[in-house]
Amino acid sequence: LACSVEIICVGNELLIGKTLNTNAQWLADQITRLGGKVARIMEVGDDVQEIASVVKEALKRKVDFVITSGGLGPTFDDKTLQGVSRATGKKLKLNPEALRLVRDRYKEMSVPKRLRLTKPRVKMAILPEGSSPIPNPIGTAPGVLVERGSSKLISLPGVPKELKAIFEKGVAEMMREKSGDLSFYESNMIVRGIVESALAPLLDRVMRDNPRVYVKSHPKGGEGRTGALIELHFSSTEKNRGKAREQVIKAIIDMVRILGKTR
Amino acid sequence: LACSVEIICVGNELLIGKTLNTNAQWLADQITRLGGKVARIMEVGDDVQEIASVVKEALKRKVDFVITSGGLGPTFDDKTLQGVSRATGKKLKLNPEALRLVRDRYKEMSVPKRLRLTKPRVKMAILPEGSSPIPNPIGTAPGVLVERGSSKLISLPGVPKELKAIFEKGVAEMMREKSGDLSFYESNMIVRGIVESALAPLLDRVMRDNPRVYVKSHPKGGEGRTGALIELHFSSTEKNRGKAREQVIKAIIDMVRILGKTR
């Protein structure tokens, strides 16, 4: 029913802990709001074989969308499309439409004509055969769409602003279409003065009585402290946003009642 | 040579974009500084089958350490050890040492004796057979070590403070031992007024002349803007910290010289 998605983030900077992966969180949040379901997030380094492996594994699971972020730029360490090419068996080839996008971008930047298409710049237009570039409204490297069976494999650049711009303008609509009218609704509730291990059986009861609502507890003060503080996160995905909302609210009311009875 | 590590983060909150995965970044940074090499980071939901799959896949790649974070607590959605059990074939069983750790913790919290070991609390002491608990200096759920061939599979709780405390006190030393004297050295350099596509061939040259140094460019202003700003990250892992540092500095000097010649 829901539209299934896996996210692959490419970059050594993630694996050495230099960069916090805000791209994965932003994408996951957007996809969830569009009614999609993120099944896995993977992070790998700038290594063609590693990229190819995770892309292949994700495609094997036949999700509707595989989104990669990072590794599309002009430098030697931008290897995502080499990995995609190896995973899909589609050879890298100069894509005329992508070349036009790259050229126009440097023209807008007033780069003199003879310098516009240097080798590193042309690299950004060399895509797996049969793929389509997705325009980059604010940067130079276009996004890339490769269709593979019923899966759409979409590669986005790692610069957060560019990733967001391409996703919003060129990807979100595809996902919205796939997920139909599905809507996600969420709400939080803070519970004080009860430790998570004491809350557990109450949560079980609320979950059982509200099977379409997912409740998750996030201890904020730690189980080992007095004045424990727990955040409860209620969420529901339904065809109808009103119904998702209604179910979440009912579960919260149930929780409040049960908590009231125990103290 | 280096000590290889994979990180697995468990939690629906990661897949819906509610929580930024700071645990993965913190672990990756620590592991890198201890001379280890993080090969992959994976994020999956609170689903026994999914957890079991990624743990199994990581163990198949025969890395020295697989570190999981999240899903060790007392509530129904804490499923990491069920996943580990399924992946390793080691049955879940009450672990007397873990039970003692949990009991002592609630005793310290002045919980009356007859209430100390409720079912959700005992759950935190039910570990895969043959595993060892790793004491949690500030929370209730102990970490868990399972040995599997030459791999150590270590499960840590997802509450950041507890994850950090257990890692620092009970895991870092194991990793330091495995990685020997390997040391990581890194340094950054900011380059202004040159776009990444023009910098690319210069970077290639510096990398070729400094094969033990990894250089990565991070465009900060975007390729499509005047006044482009690029961060260059230089890093090296060597047996001797002095040597790693020396190599990084030499590569930076080379970069500065080459940049000077081009303007």
Side-chain angles (χ1 to χ4, degrees), chain A residues 7 35 38 42 45 64 73 80-81 88 102-103 139-140 145 157-158 173 183 188 199 217 227 232 238 245 250 252:
Chain A
I7 298 172
V38 177
M42 280 155 295
D64 298 313
T80 299
L81 295 180
T88 59
V102 172
R103 188 197 295 123
T140 47
L145 166 65
E173 195 47 42
S183 246
N188 285 316
L199 192 66
S217 59
L232 292 181
E238 289 291 341
R245 185 168 171 275
K250 196 222 156 224
I252 291 180

Short mmCIF file of all heavy atoms in Angstrom, two decimals, chain A residues 7 35 38 42 45 64 73 80-81 88 102-103 139-140 145 157-158 173 183 188 199 217 227 232 238 245 250 252:
data_model
loop_
_atom_site.label_atom_id
_atom_site.label_comp_id
_atom_site.label_asym_id
_atom_site.label_seq_id
_atom_site.Cartn_x
_atom_site.Cartn_y
_atom_site.Cartn_z
N ILE A 7 17.10 4.86 1.67
CA ILE A 7 17.99 6.01 1.48
C ILE A 7 19.44 5.54 1.61
O ILE A 7 19.76 4.78 2.52
CB ILE A 7 17.71 7.10 2.55
CG1 ILE A 7 16.27 7.62 2.41
CG2 ILE A 7 18.70 8.25 2.45
CD1 ILE A 7 15.84 8.55 3.55
N GLY A 35 3.62 10.45 2.82
CA GLY A 35 2.92 9.17 2.89
C GLY A 35 3.81 7.98 2.57
O GLY A 35 3.34 6.84 2.51
N VAL A 38 10.04 4.90 4.94
CA VAL A 38 11.47 4.63 4.79
C VAL A 38 11.78 3.32 5.51
O VAL A 38 11.52 3.17 6.70
CB VAL A 38 12.33 5.77 5.37
CG1 VAL A 38 13.81 5.43 5.27
CG2 VAL A 38 12.03 7.07 4.63
N MET A 42 21.20 3.71 4.70
CA MET A 42 22.56 3.18 4.71
C MET A 42 23.56 4.29 4.43
O MET A 42 23.29 5.17 3.63
CB MET A 42 22.70 2.09 3.66
CG MET A 42 22.13 0.76 4.13
SD MET A 42 21.62 -0.27 2.75
CE MET A 42 20.30 0.73 2.08
N GLY A 45 31.09 4.79 2.25
CA GLY A 45 32.15 5.72 1.87
C GLY A 45 32.21 5.95 0.35
O GLY A 45 31.40 5.43 -0.42
N ASP A 64 9.98 0.90 -3.83
CA ASP A 64 9.53 1.78 -4.90
C ASP A 64 10.59 2.82 -5.27
O ASP A 64 10.75 3.16 -6.43
CB ASP A 64 8.23 2.49 -4.49
CG ASP A 64 7.10 1.50 -4.24
OD1 ASP A 64 6.91 0.61 -5.08
OD2 ASP A 64 6.43 1.59 -3.19
N GLY A 73 29.32 15.37 -7.64
CA GLY A 73 30.04 16.56 -8.09
C GLY A 73 31.16 16.28 -9.08
O GLY A 73 31.28 15.19 -9.62
N THR A 80 29.33 8.24 -6.99
CA THR A 80 28.02 7.59 -6.88
C THR A 80 27.53 7.02 -8.21
O THR A 80 27.04 5.89 -8.26
CB THR A 80 26.99 8.58 -6.30
OG1 THR A 80 27.44 8.97 -5.00
CG2 THR A 80 25.62 7.94 -6.17
N LEU A 81 27.69 7.78 -9.30
CA LEU A 81 27.15 7.27 -10.57
C LEU A 81 27.95 6.08 -11.10
O LEU A 81 27.40 5.21 -11.78
CB LEU A 81 27.06 8.40 -11.60
CG LEU A 81 26.05 9.51 -11.20
CD1 LEU A 81 26.00 10.59 -12.26
CD2 LEU A 81 24.65 8.94 -10.96
N THR A 88 23.65 -1.47 -11.74
CA THR A 88 22.53 -1.66 -12.67
C THR A 88 22.97 -2.22 -14.01
O THR A 88 22.13 -2.58 -14.84
CB THR A 88 21.81 -0.31 -12.93
OG1 THR A 88 22.77 0.61 -13.49
CG2 THR A 88 21.22 0.26 -11.67
N VAL A 102 24.17 21.54 -17.45
CA VAL A 102 25.44 21.97 -16.86
C VAL A 102 25.95 23.22 -17.60
O VAL A 102 26.35 24.21 -16.97
CB VAL A 102 26.49 20.83 -16.91
CG1 VAL A 102 27.86 21.34 -16.47
CG2 VAL A 102 26.05 19.66 -16.03
N ARG A 103 25.91 23.17 -18.93
CA ARG A 103 26.41 24.30 -19.73
C ARG A 103 25.63 25.57 -19.41
O ARG A 103 26.21 26.62 -19.17
CB ARG A 103 26.31 23.97 -21.22
CG ARG A 103 27.00 25.04 -22.08
CD ARG A 103 26.56 24.96 -23.53
NE ARG A 103 26.96 23.73 -24.18
CZ ARG A 103 26.11 22.85 -24.76
NH1 ARG A 103 24.81 23.10 -24.77
NH2 ARG A 103 26.56 21.78 -25.35
N GLY A 139 22.25 24.61 -8.11
CA GLY A 139 23.65 24.21 -8.22
C GLY A 139 23.94 23.68 -9.61
O GLY A 139 23.11 23.83 -10.52
N THR A 140 25.08 23.03 -9.78
CA THR A 140 25.47 22.61 -11.13
C THR A 140 25.21 21.14 -11.43
O THR A 140 24.85 20.80 -12.55
CB THR A 140 26.96 22.89 -11.36
OG1 THR A 140 27.69 22.43 -10.23
CG2 THR A 140 27.18 24.37 -11.55
N LEU A 145 17.77 10.20 -12.47
CA LEU A 145 16.74 9.18 -12.29
C LEU A 145 17.02 7.98 -13.18
O LEU A 145 17.17 8.12 -14.40
CB LEU A 145 15.36 9.76 -12.64
CG LEU A 145 14.22 8.76 -12.82
CD1 LEU A 145 13.90 8.04 -11.52
CD2 LEU A 145 12.96 9.46 -13.36
N PRO A 157 22.61 15.32 -5.16
CA PRO A 157 23.90 15.78 -4.62
C PRO A 157 23.86 15.87 -3.10
O PRO A 157 22.78 15.92 -2.51
CB PRO A 157 24.09 17.16 -5.26
CG PRO A 157 22.75 17.58 -5.75
CD PRO A 157 21.89 16.36 -5.90
N GLY A 158 25.04 15.90 -2.48
CA GLY A 158 25.11 15.90 -1.02
C GLY A 158 25.01 17.28 -0.39
O GLY A 158 24.76 17.38 0.81
N GLU A 173 6.79 15.11 -6.02
CA GLU A 173 5.54 14.83 -6.71
C GLU A 173 5.44 13.36 -7.12
O GLU A 173 4.37 12.74 -6.99
CB GLU A 173 5.41 15.75 -7.94
CG GLU A 173 4.02 15.82 -8.52
CD GLU A 173 2.92 16.03 -7.50
OE1 GLU A 173 3.12 16.85 -6.58
OE2 GLU A 173 1.86 15.36 -7.61
N SER A 183 -1.64 9.69 4.47
CA SER A 183 -1.25 10.83 5.28
C SER A 183 -0.69 10.36 6.60
O SER A 183 -1.17 9.39 7.18
CB SER A 183 -2.47 11.72 5.54
OG SER A 183 -2.30 12.95 4.91
N ASN A 188 3.18 14.36 20.14
CA ASN A 188 4.01 13.98 21.28
C ASN A 188 3.30 14.25 22.58
O ASN A 188 2.43 15.10 22.66
CB ASN A 188 5.31 14.78 21.29
CG ASN A 188 6.27 14.30 20.25
OD1 ASN A 188 6.46 13.11 20.09
ND2 ASN A 188 6.86 15.23 19.52
N LEU A 199 6.31 2.29 32.95
CA LEU A 199 5.38 2.74 31.91
C LEU A 199 5.10 1.62 30.90
O LEU A 199 4.02 1.56 30.28
CB LEU A 199 6.00 3.95 31.19
CG LEU A 199 5.11 4.76 30.26
CD1 LEU A 199 4.01 5.46 31.04
CD2 LEU A 199 5.94 5.79 29.49
N SER A 217 8.30 5.20 23.08
CA SER A 217 8.73 5.99 24.23
C SER A 217 10.20 6.35 24.11
O SER A 217 11.02 5.52 23.73
CB SER A 217 8.48 5.21 25.52
OG SER A 217 9.19 3.99 25.51
N GLY A 227 12.75 12.09 38.94
CA GLY A 227 12.25 13.13 38.04
C GLY A 227 12.40 12.72 36.60
O GLY A 227 12.67 13.54 35.74
N LEU A 232 6.54 10.51 24.78
CA LEU A 232 5.81 9.48 24.04
C LEU A 232 5.46 10.04 22.67
O LEU A 232 4.92 11.15 22.57
CB LEU A 232 4.53 9.09 24.77
CG LEU A 232 4.73 8.36 26.10
CD1 LEU A 232 3.37 8.02 26.71
CD2 LEU A 232 5.53 7.09 25.88
N GLU A 238 -2.65 6.95 7.46
CA GLU A 238 -3.96 6.51 6.95
C GLU A 238 -4.25 7.18 5.61
O GLU A 238 -3.60 8.15 5.25
CB GLU A 238 -5.06 6.91 7.94
CG GLU A 238 -5.08 6.11 9.22
CD GLU A 238 -5.49 4.66 9.04
OE1 GLU A 238 -6.10 4.32 8.00
OE2 GLU A 238 -5.18 3.84 9.94
N ARG A 245 -5.39 11.54 12.37
CA ARG A 245 -5.38 12.48 13.48
C ARG A 245 -6.29 11.97 14.62
O ARG A 245 -5.91 11.94 15.79
CB ARG A 245 -5.87 13.83 12.98
CG ARG A 245 -5.79 14.94 14.00
CD ARG A 245 -6.01 16.29 13.33
NE ARG A 245 -6.15 17.31 14.36
CZ ARG A 245 -7.30 17.59 14.96
NH1 ARG A 245 -8.40 16.96 14.62
NH2 ARG A 245 -7.34 18.51 15.92
N LYS A 250 -7.21 9.73 20.02
CA LYS A 250 -7.86 8.72 20.87
C LYS A 250 -6.82 7.96 21.71
O LYS A 250 -7.00 7.71 22.90
CB LYS A 250 -8.66 7.74 20.02
CG LYS A 250 -9.66 6.94 20.84
CD LYS A 250 -9.69 5.48 20.43
CE LYS A 250 -10.19 4.62 21.57
NZ LYS A 250 -9.41 3.40 21.75
N ILE A 252 -3.91 9.02 22.67
CA ILE A 252 -3.36 9.90 23.70
C ILE A 252 -4.33 9.99 24.88
O ILE A 252 -3.93 9.92 26.05
CB ILE A 252 -3.05 11.30 23.12
CG1 ILE A 252 -1.87 11.20 22.15
CG2 ILE A 252 -2.74 12.31 24.23
CD1 ILE A 252 -1.45 12.49 21.50
#
